[in-house]
Amino acid sequence: MAKRNIRTNSDEILRKTCKPVKEITPNILTLLDDMAETMYRANGVGLAAPQVGILKRIVVIDIGEGLVEMINPVILETEGTQTGEEGCLSIPGATAVVTRPNYVKAQATDRDGNLFVIEGEELMARAICHELDHLDGVLYTDKAQPGTFRENGMMEAE
Ligand code: NI
Protein backbone atom coordinates (compact mmCIF):
# COMPACT_ATOMS: atom_id res chain seq x y z
CA MET A 1 0.00 0.00 0.00
CA ALA A 2 1.11 3.52 -0.62
CA LYS A 3 -0.07 6.87 0.52
CA ARG A 4 -1.21 9.14 -2.32
CA ASN A 5 -1.29 12.91 -2.49
CA ILE A 6 -4.60 14.49 -1.57
CA ARG A 7 -5.82 17.11 -4.02
CA THR A 8 -6.97 20.27 -2.29
CA ASN A 9 -8.84 23.52 -2.58
CA SER A 10 -9.06 24.87 -6.13
CA ASP A 11 -7.64 21.75 -7.84
CA GLU A 12 -10.07 21.45 -10.75
CA ILE A 13 -10.12 17.64 -10.62
CA LEU A 14 -12.32 17.96 -7.53
CA ARG A 15 -15.03 19.50 -9.74
CA LYS A 16 -15.18 16.75 -12.37
CA THR A 17 -17.74 13.96 -12.68
CA CYS A 18 -16.29 10.49 -12.12
CA LYS A 19 -16.79 7.54 -14.44
CA PRO A 20 -18.22 4.19 -13.31
CA VAL A 21 -15.80 1.31 -12.75
CA LYS A 22 -16.42 -1.27 -15.50
CA GLU A 23 -14.05 -3.97 -14.32
CA ILE A 24 -12.29 -4.61 -11.01
CA THR A 25 -8.69 -4.86 -12.17
CA PRO A 26 -5.53 -5.19 -10.05
CA ASN A 27 -5.13 -1.42 -10.47
CA ILE A 28 -8.54 -0.85 -8.89
CA LEU A 29 -7.59 -3.09 -5.94
CA THR A 30 -4.35 -1.16 -5.49
CA LEU A 31 -6.29 2.09 -5.64
CA LEU A 32 -8.67 0.85 -2.90
CA ASP A 33 -5.70 -0.10 -0.69
CA ASP A 34 -3.97 3.22 -1.31
CA MET A 35 -7.14 5.22 -0.65
CA ALA A 36 -7.63 3.50 2.72
CA GLU A 37 -4.02 4.12 3.71
CA THR A 38 -4.23 7.75 2.58
CA MET A 39 -7.47 8.27 4.55
CA TYR A 40 -6.08 6.69 7.73
CA ARG A 41 -2.78 8.59 7.57
CA ALA A 42 -4.71 11.85 7.17
CA ASN A 43 -7.02 10.92 10.09
CA GLY A 44 -10.01 11.17 7.77
CA VAL A 45 -13.30 9.29 8.04
CA GLY A 46 -13.79 9.07 4.28
CA LEU A 47 -12.04 9.60 0.96
CA ALA A 48 -13.24 9.62 -2.63
CA ALA A 49 -11.11 8.70 -5.66
CA PRO A 50 -11.06 12.21 -7.20
CA GLN A 51 -9.39 13.41 -3.98
CA VAL A 52 -6.35 11.38 -5.03
CA GLY A 53 -6.70 12.47 -8.65
CA ILE A 54 -8.60 9.46 -10.04
CA LEU A 55 -11.91 10.14 -11.78
CA LYS A 56 -13.57 6.84 -10.91
CA ARG A 57 -16.65 6.14 -8.80
CA ILE A 58 -14.89 4.72 -5.74
CA VAL A 59 -15.01 5.81 -2.09
CA VAL A 60 -13.68 4.48 1.20
CA ILE A 61 -15.23 5.29 4.58
CA ASP A 62 -14.29 4.43 8.15
CA ILE A 63 -16.08 6.31 10.90
CA GLY A 64 -14.39 4.10 13.49
CA GLU A 65 -16.56 1.05 12.85
CA GLY A 66 -14.41 -0.61 10.18
CA LEU A 67 -13.42 0.06 6.61
CA VAL A 68 -16.15 0.24 3.97
CA GLU A 69 -15.04 0.17 0.33
CA MET A 70 -17.66 1.23 -2.20
CA ILE A 71 -17.32 0.84 -5.96
CA ASN A 72 -20.02 2.53 -8.10
CA PRO A 73 -22.05 3.53 -5.03
CA VAL A 74 -25.63 4.73 -5.38
CA ILE A 75 -27.98 6.13 -2.72
CA LEU A 76 -31.23 4.16 -2.63
CA GLU A 77 -33.14 5.86 0.19
CA THR A 78 -32.76 8.74 2.61
CA GLU A 79 -34.78 9.76 5.64
CA GLY A 80 -34.85 12.68 8.04
CA THR A 81 -32.31 15.46 8.38
CA GLN A 82 -29.31 16.30 10.54
CA THR A 83 -27.53 19.63 10.72
CA GLY A 84 -23.93 19.78 11.86
CA GLU A 85 -20.34 20.70 11.16
CA GLU A 86 -18.56 19.01 8.31
CA GLY A 87 -14.99 19.00 7.04
CA CYS A 88 -13.10 17.61 4.06
CA LEU A 89 -9.52 16.43 3.59
CA SER A 90 -9.49 18.45 0.36
CA ILE A 91 -10.29 21.67 2.24
CA PRO A 92 -7.72 21.38 5.05
CA GLY A 93 -8.51 22.88 8.44
CA ALA A 94 -11.93 24.23 7.50
CA THR A 95 -15.49 23.37 8.54
CA ALA A 96 -18.97 24.56 7.80
CA VAL A 97 -22.48 23.61 8.86
CA VAL A 98 -24.28 21.33 6.40
CA THR A 99 -27.72 19.74 6.53
CA ARG A 100 -27.78 16.10 5.39
CA PRO A 101 -30.19 13.17 5.60
CA ASN A 102 -30.04 11.47 9.02
CA TYR A 103 -30.47 8.03 7.46
CA VAL A 104 -29.08 6.72 4.20
CA LYS A 105 -29.41 3.38 2.46
CA ALA A 106 -26.89 2.87 -0.33
CA GLN A 107 -25.80 0.14 -2.70
CA ALA A 108 -22.30 -0.49 -4.03
CA THR A 109 -20.02 -3.18 -5.41
CA ASP A 110 -17.27 -4.59 -3.18
CA ARG A 111 -13.71 -5.53 -4.21
CA ASP A 112 -14.88 -9.07 -5.06
CA GLY A 113 -17.48 -7.75 -7.46
CA ASN A 114 -20.44 -8.44 -5.19
CA LEU A 115 -23.26 -5.95 -4.82
CA PHE A 116 -24.03 -5.00 -1.21
CA VAL A 117 -26.41 -2.69 0.60
CA ILE A 118 -25.35 -0.52 3.52
CA GLU A 119 -27.45 1.53 5.90
CA GLY A 120 -26.11 4.36 8.03
CA GLU A 121 -27.35 6.95 10.46
CA GLU A 122 -25.87 10.20 11.73
CA LEU A 123 -22.09 10.35 10.97
CA MET A 124 -22.24 7.33 8.66
CA ALA A 125 -25.13 8.84 6.69
CA ARG A 126 -23.26 12.15 6.51
CA ALA A 127 -20.07 10.43 5.34
CA ILE A 128 -21.86 8.46 2.61
CA CYS A 129 -23.54 11.62 1.28
CA HIS A 130 -20.32 13.64 1.46
CA GLU A 131 -18.21 11.02 -0.35
CA LEU A 132 -20.79 10.33 -3.04
CA ASP A 133 -21.05 14.07 -3.72
CA HIS A 134 -17.29 14.04 -4.47
CA LEU A 135 -17.97 11.62 -7.35
CA ASP A 136 -20.09 14.31 -9.01
CA GLY A 137 -17.71 17.18 -8.35
CA VAL A 138 -19.74 18.51 -5.43
CA LEU A 139 -18.00 19.80 -2.28
CA TYR A 140 -19.65 20.30 1.11
CA THR A 141 -19.03 24.01 0.83
CA ASP A 142 -21.58 24.05 -2.02
CA LYS A 143 -24.24 22.94 0.48
CA ALA A 144 -23.06 24.78 3.59
CA GLN A 145 -25.23 27.21 5.48
CA PRO A 146 -24.14 30.71 4.53
CA GLY A 147 -21.87 32.32 7.10
CA THR A 148 -20.83 29.07 8.82
CA PHE A 149 -17.53 28.49 6.99
CA ARG A 150 -14.60 28.51 9.44
CA GLU A 151 -10.95 28.26 8.43
CA ASN A 152 -9.68 26.70 11.64
CA GLY A 153 -12.32 24.15 12.47
CA MET A 154 -11.27 20.89 14.07
CA MET A 155 -13.25 17.75 13.41
CA GLU A 156 -13.35 14.54 11.44
CA ALA A 157 -12.61 15.28 7.82
CA GLU A 158 -13.81 13.47 4.76
NI1 NI B 1 -14.40 15.43 1.29
Side-chain angles (χ1 to χ4, degrees), residues 130-150:
H130 177 114
E131 298 316 328
L132 268 61
D133 273 354
H134 272 299
L135 304 182
D136 293 312
V138 175
L139 300 177
Y140 80 90
T141 46
D142 300 342
K143 298 183 168 180
Q145 277 181 23
T148 63
F149 187 77
R150 306 230 185 298

Side-chain angles (χ1 to χ4, degrees), residues 45-48 51 59 61 75 85-91 98 100-101 104 123-141 143 156-158:
V45 299
L47 190 73
Q51 293 182 273
V59 309
I61 295 172
I75 289 175
E85 281 203 322
E86 201 164 311
C88 180
L89 293 174
S90 291
I91 308 171
V98 186
R100 299 281 192 184
V104 170
L123 179 57
M124 188 62 185
R126 180 178 292 281
I128 292 170
C129 292
H130 177 114
E131 298 316 328
L132 268 61
D133 273 354
H134 272 299
L135 304 182
D136 293 312
V138 175
L139 300 177
Y140 80 90
T141 46
K143 298 183 168 180
E156 300 102 337
E158 303 161 42

Side-chain angles (χ1 to χ4, degrees), residues 39-91:
M39 171 182 71
Y40 289 129
R41 288 226 208 156
N43 294 314
V45 299
L47 190 73
Q51 293 182 273
V52 291
I54 307 288
L55 291 172
K56 292 187 186 300
R57 304 192 78 84
I58 299 176
V59 309
V60 295
I61 295 172
D62 189 343
I63 61 162
E65 297 175 353
L67 178 63
V68 180
E69 299 173 324
M70 304 177 85
I71 300 168
N72 298 333
V74 178
I75 289 175
L76 302 174
E77 286 177 40
T78 64
E79 207 174 286
T81 60
Q82 57 174 318
T83 298
E85 281 203 322
E86 201 164 311
C88 180
L89 293 174
S90 291
I91 308 171

